Amino acid sequence: MPRLVYLNGDFVPLDQAQIPVMDRGFLFGDGIYEVTAVLGGRLIDNAPHLARLERSLEEIGIANPHTDMEWTRLQYDLIRRNGLGDGLVYIEVTRGVFERDFLCPTDLRPTVAMFPQAKELRDPPAATTGVAVVTVPDLRWKRRDIKSVALLAQVLAKQAARAAGVAEAWMVEDGYVTEGASSTAFIIASDGRIVTRPLSTAVLPGITRSAVLKLAERHGLRFEERPFAVAEALGAAEAFLTSASSLVTPVVAIDGHPVGDGKPGPLTKELRKLYLQMAEAS
Ligand code: PDD
């Protein structure tokens, strides 16, 4: 069965979905995206993803083309038509199509595209083995709280990770880890405290991050929202990353140095278990 994508009102086979060359997403990276996890055909934690989509669009002056209810209906329509069990639903909204010029009319019709990706989320190898990361300079702009489709710095960071033979890059600014190229970075200090950077324009407000902090609070685990330096991460008891596409994944090495004993840590494993339980129950 060919994958069906949603494009501007229609569900069409992927190879027939066409976007004009003059689309501002293509020419300027002028658009916003969202990625929601799907388990057993159900969207996980979707409401905050749609709230972040709304906020990102507002921050760059694109009118949200759909209400949350319409988005949710479209997402489930896409899941159903594609028979998606576990994986991701990707949404992209660009400012629309216009002759190439930095400025364009304010009333363009946004381009809306959505597609599903099947993915092993419950029990991928990385959840058991953990992943290694390398640190790279954070080359991004100053509004990283906006989920912009302009991801060149992240693509370069991922290429650096691949060149180092690892799965993810942790981006560093002024000696402190901002976040992963496509994930939120966490460490667990030797006193058991979970540490992640506070929200600001320096990082994307991760939806999985927020869910994990809520779970930590509910289960009496101590956490601290503050920046942490690479040196502190190298000496941490555990480390992990979170995202819709990896949920909670142990980090077992940073720049070639093992974290803790170089194996997924017990608290990280517990947080992944709690996250999956929460997702199954929602
Ligand atoms: N990336 N930080 C960055 C820079 C990200 O790109 C992502 C997600 C996250 C985690 O956010 P969330 O928990 O809401 O997925 C943090 C998505 C998955 C992607 O680009 O594919």
Side-chain angles (χ1 to χ4, degrees):
M1 184 177 83
R3 192 155 31 145
L4 291 178
V5 308
Y6 174 87
L7 182 59
N8 296 328
D10 297 310
F11 288 91
V12 285
L14 177 61
D15 60 2
Q16 286 165 38
Q18 295 188 341
I19 293 176
V21 169
M22 291 297 175
D23 193 279
R24 294 181 62 89
F26 175 62
L27 293 176
F28 294 105
D30 187 358
I32 296 298
Y33 76 108
E34 264 306 327
V35 180
T36 306
V38 177
L39 284 174
R42 281 184 314 109
L43 294 157
I44 305 306
D45 225 3
N46 194 42
H49 281 284
L50 294 180
R52 187 173 65 186
L53 176 65
E54 164 90 16
R55 178 180 181 275
S56 290
L57 288 168
E58 192 176 333
E59 290 296 313
I60 69 164
I62 296 179
N64 192 343
H66 295 298
T67 63
D68 283 7
M69 209 188 277
E70 288 166 352
W71 277 121
T72 307
R73 202 173 301 144
L74 288 171
Q75 286 169 301
Y76 273 111
D77 210 352
L78 189 76
I79 289 169
R80 194 173 42 74
R81 286 171 190 255
N82 284 284
L84 181 67
D86 292 357
L88 306 167
V89 166
Y90 176 91
I91 296 178
E92 179 165 336
V93 181
T94 80
R95 200 177 301 276
V97 179
F98 192 70
E99 179 62 37
R100 184 183 184 274
D101 193 348
F102 286 85
L103 288 175
C104 65
T106 53
D107 59 351
L108 282 190
R109 186 180 69 131
T111 299
V112 179
M114 298 170 53
F115 56 81
Q117 286 182 316
K119 190 173 192 324
E120 171 64 55
L121 289 180
R122 284 169 214 265
D123 198 17
T128 308
T129 61
V131 296
V133 305
V134 284
T135 58
V136 298
D138 194 333
L139 302 177
R140 294 175 300 164
W141 71 327
K142 294 186 177 165
R143 289 302 309 276
R144 302 162 190 161
D145 54 316
I146 297 172
K147 201 159 171 62
S148 157
V149 294
L151 291 169
L152 184 54
Q154 287 94 317
V155 170
L156 296 181
K158 290 279 190 189
Q159 287 179 349
R162 183 175 60 187
V166 302
E168 177 62 307
W170 276 8
M171 298 182 286
V172 176
E173 189 169 62
D174 301 330
Y176 290 90
V177 174
T178 52
E179 58 188 327
S182 64
S183 57
T184 305
F186 289 76
I187 57 170
I188 302 179
S190 44
D191 66 358
R193 220 172 284 243
I194 301 162
V195 181
T196 193
R197 202 175 167 110
L199 297 186
S200 70
T201 52
V203 292
L204 185 78
I207 304 305
T208 323
R209 169 195 186 280
S210 158
V212 162
L213 292 184
K214 276 191 203 132
L215 284 170
E217 189 151 42
R218 195 174 309 153
H219 292 270
L221 305 172
R222 286 170 304 159
F223 66 88
E224 219 167 67
E225 292 176 82
R226 62 165 174 82
F228 60 86
V230 176
E232 185 182 359
L234 291 174
E238 301 181 32
F240 62 97
L241 53 85
T242 63
S243 71
S245 53
S246 65
L247 310 184
V248 177
T249 298
V251 169
V252 293
I254 301 171
D255 290 338
H257 303 281
V259 177
D261 62 2
K263 297 197 194 102
L267 211 45
T268 301
K269 287 198 266 192
E270 180 65 14
L271 283 168
R272 182 176 174 90
K273 199 176 88 195
L274 290 173
Y275 185 87
L276 278 166
Q277 277 171 3
M278 179 276 292
E280 301 288 3
S282 63

